[in-house]
Amino acid sequence: MVGLAISFDLGRYHATSWGAHVNEATVEWPPSPWRLLRALYAAGRANIRLEQRWPDLQRALVALARARPPTFDLPPTAAAHTRHYMPLASYSPTKRGATSLVIDAFRALDPTSEVRAWWDIDLDDAARDALTAAAEAVGYLGRSESICTMRLATEGPGKQRSAVVADEVADDPAWADAELVDLLVVADDVDDPLAVIGTSVSEMRRRRMLVPAGTRRLTYAVRSERKQPHRRESSVPAARPTIAHLRVVGSGRPAITDAVTVGHLLRAALQRRFDAGAIGAQSPVLSGHDETGPRRDQHAHAHYLAAPGPDHRHIDHLFIWAPEGLGRREVSAIAGLRELRMRDAPEPLRVALVALGRVEDLSLPRLAGPSTTWSSLTPVALTRHAKRRGGRIVDGAADQIVRELALRGFPAPDRVELVRGSWMRFQATRPGGSRRRAPTVVGARLQFAESVSGPVALGGLSHFGLGIFVPEEP
Amino acid sequence: MIDAPHDATRLVVDARLRPVIGSTFQPTGFANLGAAEFRRPGGPPSLLVESVQSMANHLEAVGFDEASRRPIGLLERLPWIVVTAADGGEHLTSSREEPHRLASAYVRDAEIDGKGGLVWLVERLGLRPRAPLDWRTIYAAVFQLDPLCLLHGVFFSAPGFHGNPKVRRALTAVIEAHDVAPVVSGGLKRDDVQFTSAKGQGAEEGYGFVPFPRTEYSANEIVLSAAVDLAQIRGYGLDPHATRMLALLAMWELRALLDGPLRLRTACDLEVERLTVRRPDGFELPALDVLEEAIASTQVAFDEPGRRAATWPAAKVASV
């Protein structure tokens, strides 16, 4: 039995799968038998100290290439990636823009753990010694960031393998849940396996070949990795921020009457940032949707609120308020947001996060009070129709406001006073929605017996900037 | 003991770091990409603080004086190629400053010893069309042209370099943080002269109030890990003095980086809390003065020590 053991000294293994572009962010795992043999071949050719051992190393490599493909023992890993701008060949101090975005995908693993590959063959002493020396000379496996230490394993294989040729376990129920992975191996019928292992990548590119000639893809069954217990970061969950305050700057700031449009733009922009690098990922906090559809858990998810500046007309402030709290990825999406693009606007709106925390910890008197008296900044969109029951009107505007307050945990107000104003000028439908279907909107003043803390956002589209109440200044 | 054991294939060190002030730091990243978070299996969130490529730049920088655009005194006698403008002799760049080092387009397209750079390099490297690479000649040539390329790598990838030899880096380092959490803050750049913007006097021109966000990180652990591939250095087939010099230079760059200020960017100023040699067992990274004395006294003969001139054709000099 011949075994190779590889540890990755920096805790990472970077290797792009054959036939894939580096920016597809796939990692060949386990390392293919072809890659292992090629690394040994390259070490044998490039390391001058192995010159004398080259004939014996060649015999060892041919024997391994012709043997039945190896089985593997694999350590736990985690898929990861980072992104970088790398200099192109034309990069220079006078041409710094010549860079390319590269996704660097890798498997993160314990630097002391080992990948082991086992071939069921025997080698004579000279071939084994040459293979040992070549293994010690292998400095990396995959890309050059994959610093590794390779050795010929002297201990035997463990009882349970992590990856085997799929055909060998096709009827074994113990492998029923295994993942099927295609790995590159030297084809069985090649006359010169060394020529296959030592193929020139430049020649391959010139001939527009995706995989080296003389190889084939062999399907391996790879056991799912044991679920490692997720270490809690703290015995007490850290309190998540519940509100983010963004400032808006620029001469083309929209009017507060367009708060709903801006709210939708903000939500869409944050969703895009949240999903960057993933496929179809959706934040239930930012979107208000879970896997079953719109959430029904009492307005715990994000509200996108707007507030004007000193002119009381144009939006200077945006708030993302989520009573359930903003997670790490939501915060990251918010913190990185730089601009919002409004249709027909000559320039994008510039935005920047200026405060993040829990509502009760931040000083937001003009949004969160506390106060006993609250007045409409944006109108409340009524969601029900007033109706006559038993000779009296029910579900009128005031009734609906009181009901909304109760749903959100506020005490019943002592008084709800409807306030006249230019509420009809406010956009009360989603962007693209017909104004003919716009709900009735009203403004109001709320008087409470005791001070209450906000934010207070009630009624239809309250998650997008309608129904905002602000403390009335004494 | 200054030299690693002769059978040691790697020197691997881990330096636990901490922020010089406060407890937060600014990791690598770009405005549109964000920070590079990842996880090890079953572990807490980790973060790339400085990439392998950036660490290579830092390691190379310890031996080069940017102000004078020359190697520091200790490394003066090591060969390197300086590219000057044919018209005026202005120092344009060098094999120490270029990302692609000896394989830089500026070296390749320069005139060296009366020949075109590509032709000159191909001859020195012993490259021949449709012939196997003569690695012994390649390593010996690179050592005589710029030995630091044997530590930091060089890839002759351009057409014309028959066989496109590639020497990978023998000294690799990376800085990672583990058990991290973002620290989000922000601020406002003020303009107390005028409170409203006017045409031509907006934020782009430097006027006005400009809010800005800031995301730094805190971490339970920040580690600089570095590996010197001693097996690769020995595998260059150079004479023992040259081999020893390369190993000493690798250790010296590492030690100089760790002993010096680790200010990676504006809000990322780190210092070493503890240094551990993971391999070989029992080996300690020598002190800086010990390594410098050993390097200065190595008996290595260079065909042309120090600076070698290359002239970039005047017609191709771009105005900066």
Side-chain angles (χ1 to χ4, degrees), chain A residues 221-383:
Chain A
V222 183
R223 288 189 194 279
S224 300
E225 295 186 11
R226 280 177 292 119
K227 295 290 179 194
Q228 296 295 316
H230 187 85
R231 219 174 79 196
R232 287 174 64 89
E233 293 170 30
S234 167
S235 58
V236 175
R240 303 189 338 167
T242 55
I243 193 164
H245 175 194
L246 285 76
R247 281 297 304 273
V248 183
V249 294
S251 55
R253 288 167 292 127
I256 188 64
T257 50
D258 291 326
V260 170
T261 293
V262 176
H264 276 85
L265 279 177
L266 180 57
R267 175 178 178 269
L270 292 177
Q271 277 287 88
R272 281 193 298 275
R273 291 194 59 81
F274 184 88
D275 192 30
I279 300 175
Q282 180 171 259
S283 162
V285 178
L286 297 177
S287 70
H289 288 245
D290 56 26
E291 56 273 7
T292 62
R295 291 173 58 181
R296 303 281 180 215
D297 51 354
Q298 301 309 318
H299 304 288
H301 61 279
H303 298 66
Y304 300 94
L305 311 178
D311 69 358
H312 301 290
R313 290 185 55 215
H314 294 99
I315 295 176
D316 268 11
H317 307 273
L318 293 171
F319 300 91
I320 300 116
W321 169 49
E324 66 180 342
L326 299 162
R328 181 192 306 275
R329 285 180 66 189
E330 284 82 7
V331 168
S332 179
I334 294 168
L337 186 66
R338 296 286 184 276
E339 60 184 31
L340 287 177
R341 295 186 172 270
M342 297 194 65
R343 188 191 291 185
D344 299 330
E347 290 178 353
L349 284 178
R350 282 197 306 282
V351 298
L353 177 68
V354 294
L356 177 77
R358 298 187 66 79
V359 170
E360 58 270 24
D361 296 331
L362 296 181
S363 175
L364 299 167
R366 293 188 180 179
L367 180 72
S371 177
T372 55
T373 308
W374 294 73
S375 298
S376 282
L377 173 66
T378 60
V380 178
L382 302 177
T383 57

Side-chain angles (χ1 to χ4, degrees), chain B residues 197-252:
Chain B
S197 59
K199 191 174 180 181
Q201 293 179 354
E204 297 224 353
E205 291 82 21
Y207 295 91
F209 287 79
V210 181
F212 58 88
R214 195 172 195 89
T215 303
E216 293 168 357
Y217 280 79
S218 64
N220 190 29
E221 188 182 42
I222 307 171
V223 183
L224 184 160
S225 296
V228 179
D229 195 333
L230 298 169
Q232 176 175 330
I233 291 174
R234 293 189 202 108
Y236 291 148
L238 305 172
D239 71 68
H241 296 296
T243 301
R244 182 170 187 258
M245 175 183 243
L246 286 176
L248 290 173
L249 283 169
M251 287 193 284
W252 174 82

